[in-house]
Amino acid sequence: MAKFKVVKPYQDTQIGKKLKKDEEVEMTVKRSDEVEKTLNEKGFDGPFLERIQEKK
């Protein structure tokens, strides 16, 4: 799982929650791609998520 920061608020139907700007959420990269693709197809301007690079 990767960590993402919400850039624009949106309703995530998979987790059943509205995600707010600057909120951090864990999801797979594949799921984040699905979110971006689905919202763009519905006419919303992205990006909605920004991946947070973990410090090693």
Side-chain angles (χ1 to χ4, degrees), residues 19-31:
L19 298 174
K20 299 174 184 154
K21 184 178 179 182
D22 295 327
E23 188 173 349
E24 289 186 9
V25 19
E26 279 193 23
M27 66 177 69
T28 63
V29 174
K30 183 177 178 181
R31 173 66 182 142

Side-chain angles (χ1 to χ4, degrees), residues 9-24:
Y10 73 96
Q11 178 74 33
D12 193 317
T13 55
Q14 187 171 350
I15 61 174
K17 172 178 169 181
K18 183 167 180 137
L19 298 174
K20 299 174 184 154
K21 184 178 179 182
D22 295 327
E23 188 173 349
E24 289 186 9

Side-chain angles (χ1 to χ4, degrees):
M1 293 275 230
K3 283 190 177 187
F4 292 88
K5 181 174 94 172
V6 178
V7 178
K8 290 184 179 179
Y10 73 96
Q11 178 74 33
D12 193 317
T13 55
Q14 187 171 350
I15 61 174
K17 172 178 169 181
K18 183 167 180 137
L19 298 174
K20 299 174 184 154
K21 184 178 179 182
D22 295 327
E23 188 173 349
E24 289 186 9
V25 19
E26 279 193 23
M27 66 177 69
T28 63
V29 174
K30 183 177 178 181
R31 173 66 182 142
S32 71
D33 291 340
E34 290 173 359
V35 167
E36 294 289 347
K37 182 180 175 195
T38 302
L39 291 171
N40 285 328
E41 286 175 352
K42 291 185 177 186
F44 297 102
D45 291 328
F48 294 89
L49 298 167
E50 178 181 289
R51 187 162 182 186
I52 299 171
Q53 297 297 325
E54 295 183 26
K55 297 172 186 157
K56 294 185 179 187

